[in-house]
Amino acid sequence: MKKFLVITVLALFLALPVFALTDSDFKADGDITVTGITLNSSTSSIVIKSGSEARTWTFNDGGFTVTNASSTSFKIYSTDANVKAIKVASTTIGCTVNDITGAAPATIASTTEASQVFTVSLVALSSAATYNYSCGAATCDNGYEVSGTGESATCSACTVLTGAATYNTGTCGAATCISGYTLSGSGASATCLPPPAITGSSGSSGSSNQTTTTTTTETTTTTTTTTTPTPTTPATPSAYAQQWQNVLTDAATMFSGNLGSLLTAMGATRNASTETSAASKYTAPLVSGLKNVTAEIKSAITNFVNYGTPSTKILGAGERAGVINSYKTAFGRVPSTEAQWKDAIAIGNGRWPGEKSTAAEAKAAVEFKKVYKRAPDMKNPNDNAAVTVISYGLRPAIRNTNSEKAAIKSFKAIYGHAPVSALAWDIVRSIAYSGAKR
């Protein structure tokens, strides 16, 4: 019985691949598959190609190393399609894109240094399209951009650009836009301009040639009025670009807190009496219940409401306060940074804010369904506009009071009461200007 056991163990030992843990050289007489190699949070395998030679190779706890002292090369690849690249590191780092067929394996070159150790790693970076020499991300899939450098480079998701269908590879600027949106700019700064249903026929104030068609549908219980703006001539990209530059300039002015600069821009003189009134009537309720609102923040809001900015002067004080209220409703705060002021002023100009509020958009989708009796199709520019207006309270660049009156009737018929809250008025504007239909 003891003799039988000894023979069995010997047979098993002879059947194993030679790890060459002694001074003897290793040579693969056939392809050898090594499983359990670490790949991110899981494991995979590699194949040592027949003919590969080294002094030793070692597999331990998911790691794979090769000590190369041969006069030929040590070649490896993986048959796992999840393995995107193989990194070989010693004194230098090399990266080889994995070929599951083994036709183009990763090669550990021969060396005269018998003690040189090569560490082999399997790589699969999320959303990476190509890899650099150190096996960090070189380029990323559409909708992602490279973050970091060298072996630390990864792919980060692009900030969502409203209206963008595809993104420029590696820069995250808009490459193409969905129907109804217009591409503006190039490279990393390219954006998609919203449809004229929200922005009006121009990027600035002025008279409107917009007309409104009103259709009334009666049921036994309610009367719902759907207002559809007649299409207008789209503004040129240069007009939109100038409007956006105005928004950025206004945001910088508001953030600076320099009242003198604001008054100069508005061609106005200071009026302490109206400031006090605006602070009491508008600013105090707007900041009520919020924490960490400094005197500077309150002063900026008061000045914005009381004096306006060049791009929001068409709005009255109450409407500018409404813009801040819509911003507060969407984000749970009042603007304090330059980026936040940019978004607030963009809302006042009928432009999409850069920051997204998932909660506000989810709530807007619910309200959209109440109004239009269906879920919104965000690829449809009018549905997208409706949800965005409800979410963030975008103001139209050119108002149409007839459309707004009809929209108020629709709101009352749907909700059973007049619009009072910021959200309610945002729904009214959505009905009046988005062009969405049941």
Side-chain angles (χ1 to χ4, degrees), residues 384-396:
N384 192 308
V387 171
T388 304
V389 171
I390 297 173
S391 300
Y392 306 107
L394 272 63
R395 267 56 177 177

Side-chain angles (χ1 to χ4, degrees), residues 389-411:
V389 171
I390 297 173
S391 300
Y392 306 107
L394 272 63
R395 267 56 177 177
I398 301 174
R399 292 187 63 181
N400 186 308
T401 56
N402 289 331
S403 292
E404 292 179 12
K405 289 177 182 178
I408 292 171
K409 291 181 180 179
S410 292
F411 181 92

Side-chain angles (χ1 to χ4, degrees), residues 58-137:
T58 305
F59 166 65
N60 184 34
D61 292 332
F64 187 85
T65 59
V66 177
T67 302
N68 190 348
S70 68
S71 59
T72 60
S73 297
F74 195 92
K75 299 180 179 181
I76 53 178
Y77 68 99
S78 177
T79 57
D80 184 352
N82 292 320
V83 177
K84 302 302 181 183
I86 297 176
K87 179 166 66 174
V88 178
S90 58
T91 54
T92 59
I93 299 176
C95 185
T96 302
V97 175
N98 182 48
D99 177 1
I100 62 173
T101 67
T107 300
I108 301 177
S110 61
T111 177
T112 57
E113 298 179 26
S115 62
Q116 188 169 7
V117 177
F118 296 83
T119 302
V120 176
S121 304
L122 303 183
V123 179
L125 294 178
S126 177
S127 303
T130 61
Y131 293 80
N132 60 36
Y133 181 77
S134 300
C135 264

